[in-house]
Every structure is written in structure tokens, then in C-alpha cells.
Amino acid sequence: MESTMNTKGMLADFVEDLPKVELHLHIEGTLEPELLIALAQRNGVDIPYKTIEAARAAYQFEDLQSFLNVYYLGASVLREERDFYELTLAYMSRCKAQQIRHTELFFDPQTHLANGVALAAVMGGINAALRDAERDWHISSALILCFERDRDPEPSVAHACALGGIAGIGLDSAELGNPPEKFQEVFKVAKSMGLHRVAHAGEEGPPAYIWRALDVLDVERIDHGVRCLEDPALVRRLVDDRIALTVCPFSNVALKVFSRLSEHNLGRLLKAGLLATINSDDPAYFGGYLSENIIGTLSSLDLTAKDALLLERNAVEAAFCTDQRKQSLLRDLDQYDASHRNLL
Ligand SMILES: [Zn+2]
């Protein structure tokens, strides 16, 4: 028992200082109850929770849809450019604390447009915080504009892609009943503009949605994708093409894709040779940021420090940054690896 506890403590120390990359993070999902209440008051937005405790208590979910209802309500307090700046800088300061060296953030423009907020305010606030974090903390980042699959692709959002400041587009929100085909045209246009493409698929939806995200939307990464193991031919395709899966274990448990962490299939994904990564998705809502997700998952599945290194090397390979930046991130991992050989 004692040796297990020691091993777990050592693993946690190893992961905390490990240089990390995050590839699946919704900036609206980093809205902690404290900031939610403060912004609701500052902007005069009427929300059902009046205290931090009441907001925290509401962060309990049955499935993806019940989460999305709370999530969209939370996003409604974001009104001004400075709100987006403060939200993003708070997340980037977590990155600094957790040794996240590169992060790729999603944002949901359609939600904010529906709330009457101009895209220039949303993107201006987020990008200013990303620039400050790069300047002050040397954290590189990429911004990915997500289309919400339960809404129609909106032309003003497609035009926003042309404004610059965006590395790629994604597809998120309610998966069931909203297959990828609806977004074929907008993904085609994004590719012709040189933008990267990703999509949430195979979280609650079937493996067929992953196939279609690959074949119809021509995506370079699959967000979640945990249900791919139900289809051996799909696994072969993902392995052969080195398509990364941005897996979010705490999110999967919070939304009941798996009943508990010890039942998560991350270990099996790695064993199958898939380019799996660990990410926090909506950390304010799902009980932990990146370090907590990695530590919790590895310890629940009896995975090791070596697996943590593999996950981070996978994330660097799948990141949308320059080759030069990737080399630098890999060098950091090699150095960390070399100086922790006693643990591996
Ligand atoms: Zn997500």
C-alpha cells in the first residue's frame, strides 16, 4: 500500500513539472464560478445563481446536453472585450502554473453573436491575452474557431475566418443527431484558405461520425474519438494516417461517456498505437485542468511516467505550430526525460 502511494506521489510530481501541450480546450469552459458571478454583476446579466456556491452546485451533469445548457448560460455573462481578455488570461496563468508550453483554444463565436456581442470584441480580447502570455510567459498558442453543430453554419462566422488571428476551425456542441455533412462546405472553404480543421466526433456519437469527419470534412485531428475502438477498420485508418485523438478523460466521466476513470479506454487507445493525447476540455466544469486530468487518468489506469511522456510527445506531433516550435517542445521533453530516468 505504502509503495503504491509513493509511486502515485512520484507520478504526480513527475506530471506536474512535465512540459505540456494542450490541444482541446474551450475557453468558455474555463469560466470559474468566481468570475461567472463577478461578470454577471459587472455586466448586469441576470443568471439563476446568485452566489459562487450556487453556481458551483449547478456544475453537475447527466450528459452532454445537460452540460451544454449550463455552459451556454455561463457564456451569456461574457459581454465586453475585457471580459474575454480576463477569461483568457486567467486560463493562460493556469497554463503557466501547470507547465503548459503550447495550447490550442477553441471559442464559440455563434454563442456570443446570439448574445449580441461583436466578433471583434470576442477575438480582440482573446488574442490580446494570448499575445501577453506569449510575451510574458513564452507560452505559444493557436486559436480555433468552432462551429456549433446544432446551429446552421453562419456566413458572418465564415467571414471571420478571413480576418486573421485564427489557426483553424472546429466543430463542437451537441453531437447526436447533428452529423458532419451540414458543415462540408464551410470546411472546404477553410481548407482552401489554408486553415487547419478538427471536429468533435465519436464522444457520444457513433464511429460513423468519425469516418465522416475524416472523409467529408477532411479533418486533421479528431476531438474525443474514444468510440473509435468499436470499429477495427477505423482504428487502422487513424493509426495509419497518424490522426490524433484529443481525449478528455474528466469530461468523459462528468458527461457519463465512462462511468468512472478506471473504466476509461485511454490505455487501450495507446496500446492500439493511436496518437492519443490528454486534454481538459472545459476544466472549470469538469473538476480539473490538464495536470489533474493526466495524473488522475494515469493513476486510475495504472499507467506510468513513460506513458505521460508518450502522451506529450503525441501532443507535440499533433500540434498546429511551426516545425521549429515543435523541435523546441520536443527538446524540452527529451531533457525532462533524461533528467528523470530514475523514474522511468
Ligand atoms: Zn470539447
Side-chain angles (χ1 to χ4, degrees), residues 118-182:
L119 277 183
V122 179
M123 292 166 63
I126 296 173
N127 277 318
L130 297 182
R131 277 195 302 273
D132 286 355
E134 175 135 39
R135 183 196 61 209
D136 297 340
W137 303 325
H138 311 293
I139 303 169
S140 56
S141 55
L143 189 58
I144 299 176
L145 181 155
C146 267
F147 286 88
E148 292 162 51
R149 64 203 313 156
D150 45 354
R151 298 178 194 256
D152 286 328
E154 189 166 331
S156 64
V157 172
H159 291 146
C161 299
L163 295 176
I166 290 170
I169 65 165
L171 191 59
D172 65 5
S173 196
E175 185 177 9
L176 287 172
N178 293 299
E181 285 79 355
K182 206 162 93 178

Side-chain angles (χ1 to χ4, degrees), residues 18 30 36 117 122 205 215 217 231 236 250 283 298 318 324 329:
L18 176 69
T30 66
L36 170 78
V117 184
V122 179
D215 292 334
L217 303 182
D231 181 343
R236 272 198 302 281
F250 279 20
L298 295 183
Q324 193 187 8
L329 293 165

Side-chain angles (χ1 to χ4, degrees), residues 278-336:
I278 287 187
N279 308 272
S280 68
D281 205 5
D282 300 285
Y285 294 97
F286 298 147
Y289 286 76
L290 184 54
S291 289
E292 291 84 5
N293 266 272
I294 300 175
I295 294 165
T297 309
L298 295 183
S299 13
S300 301
L301 297 175
D302 288 326
L303 295 171
T304 63
K306 222 176 179 155
D307 295 307
L309 271 166
L310 172 64
L311 287 161
E312 291 314 310
R313 289 199 171 103
N314 287 350
V316 173
E317 178 176 339
F320 296 147
C321 54
T322 62
D323 284 345
Q324 193 187 8
R325 180 68 182 142
K326 286 190 184 194
Q327 292 312 320
S328 154
L329 293 165
L330 285 175
R331 265 197 308 276
D332 288 349
L333 283 171
D334 288 345
Q335 258 171 25
Y336 195 79

Side-chain angles (χ1 to χ4, degrees), residues 5-244:
M5 279 179 64
N6 282 342
T7 310
K8 287 199 169 167
M10 276 157 59
L11 179 68
D13 290 346
F14 179 86
V15 170
E16 271 162 20
D17 291 335
L18 176 69
K20 289 181 273 298
V21 167
E22 177 141 72
L23 302 177
H24 183 159
L25 180 283
H26 302 266
I27 193 59
E28 296 89 347
T30 66
L31 185 61
E32 293 287 343
E34 291 77 3
L35 188 58
L36 170 78
I37 299 294
L39 290 180
Q41 284 171 357
R42 189 164 89 191
N43 294 329
V45 180
D46 189 27
I47 55 168
Y49 336 117
K50 302 298 170 212
T51 63
I52 292 165
E53 293 68 35
R56 206 178 291 286
Y59 287 13
Q60 300 285 338
F61 317 104
E62 285 310 310
D63 56 16
L64 184 56
Q65 192 56 55
S66 67
F67 158 66
L68 288 170
N69 297 341
V70 175
Y71 176 84
Y72 290 130
L73 188 78
S76 73
V77 306
L78 297 160
R79 297 288 165 154
E80 307 288 335
E81 183 164 336
R82 68 171 175 162
D83 304 340
F84 290 92
Y85 178 85
E86 287 169 24
L87 176 72
T88 307
L89 200 67
Y91 165 65
M92 296 307 281
S93 69
R94 298 265 187 175
C95 289
K96 176 175 177 269
Q98 296 209 342
Q99 303 297 330
I100 298 174
R101 306 286 170 84
H102 175 81
T103 181
E104 302 190 357
L105 305 86
F106 296 127
F107 73 110
D108 286 330
Q110 288 157 298
T111 293
H112 306 303
L113 280 172
N115 290 335
V117 184
L119 277 183
V122 179
M123 292 166 63
I126 296 173
N127 277 318
L130 297 182
R131 277 195 302 273
D132 286 355
E134 175 135 39
R135 183 196 61 209
D136 297 340
W137 303 325
H138 311 293
I139 303 169
S140 56
S141 55
L143 189 58
I144 299 176
L145 181 155
C146 267
F147 286 88
E148 292 162 51
R149 64 203 313 156
D150 45 354
R151 298 178 194 256
D152 286 328
E154 189 166 331
S156 64
V157 172
H159 291 146
C161 299
L163 295 176
I166 290 170
I169 65 165
L171 191 59
D172 65 5
S173 196
E175 185 177 9
L176 287 172
N178 293 299
E181 285 79 355
K182 206 162 93 178
F183 298 87
Q184 184 168 14
E185 194 50 37
V186 80
F187 272 68
K188 210 166 122 190
V189 172
K191 186 178 183 182
S192 72
M193 290 166 62
L195 292 171
H196 290 290
R197 294 148 332 272
V198 298
H200 284 51
E203 174 190 12
E204 285 190 334
Y209 282 17
I210 303 178
W211 279 111
R212 287 191 246 160
L214 294 171
D215 292 334
V216 178
L217 303 182
D218 195 15
V219 298
E220 298 155 84
R221 295 194 305 238
I222 296 288
D223 295 313
H224 293 294
V226 290
R227 289 190 59 191
C228 72
L229 289 184
E230 295 168 25
D231 181 343
L234 176 59
V235 170
R236 272 198 302 281
R237 165 84 182 271
L238 294 166
V239 170
D240 289 348
D241 289 355
R242 304 288 288 163
I243 304 284

Side-chain angles (χ1 to χ4, degrees), residues 246-259:
T246 63
V247 180
C248 306
F250 279 20
S251 161
N252 291 155
V253 172
L255 302 185
K256 317 232 185 312
V257 176
F258 297 96
S259 56

